[in-house]
């Protein structure tokens, strides 16, 4: 599958029906999701691999990983409504994903998922709840050797310091995350948030 075809497929995914600000529910736009996944695919981290999408929301990353030929894909999100939409998206696209409702910090869930080969995630940036990104980083490193994540461009020094001694950022791709007005604290109809797609590898 070509990058453009992946992007077109992911554009068909439904987003959050009622996005919840405290959970930082920002669906990854198809163009950004496809970019992350295709890059991971070219690095050999998707095809034939066991892939976990942490904080999968409506499942765009998980579905894309399945379309690119992952052997097994799992998606986890704390919001059961989002998981319902994710299941509908997977059915629409013909993606084979196991979606589970649960909290990233719940240790009892993870024997189901881990170990896996690759984690993909667009975690909360910690803008609403301070340090909300940390359990995602910790869990991803506990589960997989290779992690692809979308992070606010400004948080890179924090990320580097937080994972030091455990893992390191191997590559970072700067990109722009188009955001439509979705919460009352948004002052403009459209914004472009500078983000980085990072590849993190374990020591
Ligand atoms: N990965 C999706 C959604 C990104 S938004 C996409 O790329 O489109 C961040 C997601 O993290 C939301 O769906 C939110 O419900 C989920 N989330 C926030 N806190 C969580 C937690 N503690 N455990 C699991 N999921 C959580």
């Amino acid at each position: 599958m070509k990058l453009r075809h992946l992007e077109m497929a992911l554009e068909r995914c439904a987003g959050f029906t009622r996005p919840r600000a405290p959970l930082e529910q920002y669906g990854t736009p198809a163009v950004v999701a496809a970019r992350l996944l295709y890059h991971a695919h070219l690095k050999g981290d998707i095809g034939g691999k066991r892939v976990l999408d942490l904080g999968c929301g409506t499942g765009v990353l998980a579905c894309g990983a399945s379309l690119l030929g992952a052997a097994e894909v799992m998606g986890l999100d704390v919001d059961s409504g989002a998981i319902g939409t994710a299941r509908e998206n997977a059915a629409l696209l013909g993606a084979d994903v196991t979606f589970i409702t649960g909290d990233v910090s719940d240790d009892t869930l993870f024997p189901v998922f881990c170990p896996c080969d690759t984690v993909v995630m667009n975690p909360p940036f910690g803008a609403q709840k301070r340090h909300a990104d940390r359990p995602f980083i910790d869990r991803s490193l506990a589960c997989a050797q290779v992690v692809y994540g979308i992070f606010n461009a400004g948080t890179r020094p924090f990320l580097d310091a937080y994972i030091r001694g455990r893992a390191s950022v191997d590559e970072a791709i700067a990109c722009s995350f188009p955001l439509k007005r979705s919460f009352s604290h948004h002052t403009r109809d459209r914004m472009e948030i500078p983000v980085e797609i990072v590849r993190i590898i374990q020591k």
Side-chain angles (χ1 to χ4, degrees):
M1 179 180 274
K2 295 199 169 121
L3 172 62
R4 181 71 197 127
H5 293 145
L6 177 66
E7 195 182 316
M8 279 161 54
L10 297 182
E11 267 161 10
R12 299 175 65 209
C13 284
F16 293 101
T17 39
R18 279 184 297 117
R20 293 162 63 185
L23 294 175
E24 294 192 46
Q25 292 186 325
Y26 297 102
T28 306
V31 60
V32 178
R35 191 152 180 209
L36 181 153
L37 291 165
Y38 213 79
H39 187 75
H41 183 52
L42 293 178
K43 298 289 284 187
D45 293 325
I46 302 286
K49 302 290 184 184
R50 199 170 136 84
V51 178
L52 171 61
D53 179 357
L54 285 178
C56 62
T58 57
V60 64
L61 292 172
C63 289
S66 172
L67 296 184
L68 286 173
E72 195 180 354
V73 186
M74 295 148 294
L76 171 98
D77 202 282
V78 75
D79 181 354
S80 59
I83 289 289
T85 306
R87 290 194 177 119
E88 288 167 12
N89 283 333
L92 178 74
L93 299 185
D96 184 7
V97 182
T98 303
F99 287 109
I100 293 180
T101 303
D103 194 297
V104 73
S105 300
D106 181 352
D107 290 329
T108 62
L109 285 173
F110 283 86
V112 180
F113 298 117
C114 302
C116 59
D117 299 302
T118 307
V119 165
V120 293
M121 61 181 187
N122 173 15
F125 289 168
Q128 295 294 321
K129 186 176 154 212
R130 214 167 131 75
H131 304 320
D133 47 350
R134 293 188 181 188
F136 283 82
I137 298 167
D138 293 337
R139 183 65 67 191
S140 68
L141 294 178
C143 286
Q145 284 295 316
V146 184
V147 177
Y148 289 84
I150 300 173
F151 292 92
N152 204 325
T155 61
R156 183 62 189 287
F158 152 74
L159 179 64
D160 286 338
Y162 190 67
I163 63 176
R164 190 165 297 137
R166 294 189 283 169
S168 59
V169 173
D170 176 43
E171 286 179 301
I173 302 166
C175 85
S176 180
F177 193 109
L179 206 66
K180 287 187 212 137
R181 182 201 287 263
S182 33
F183 300 123
S184 56
H185 64 266
H186 290 163
T187 52
R188 280 176 287 156
D189 285 343
R190 268 189 89 81
M191 290 177 284
E192 295 278 338
I193 310 289
V195 298
E196 279 184 341
I197 297 169
V198 300
R199 180 177 193 255
I200 302 171
I201 48 169
Q202 299 261 9
K203 289 267 176 237

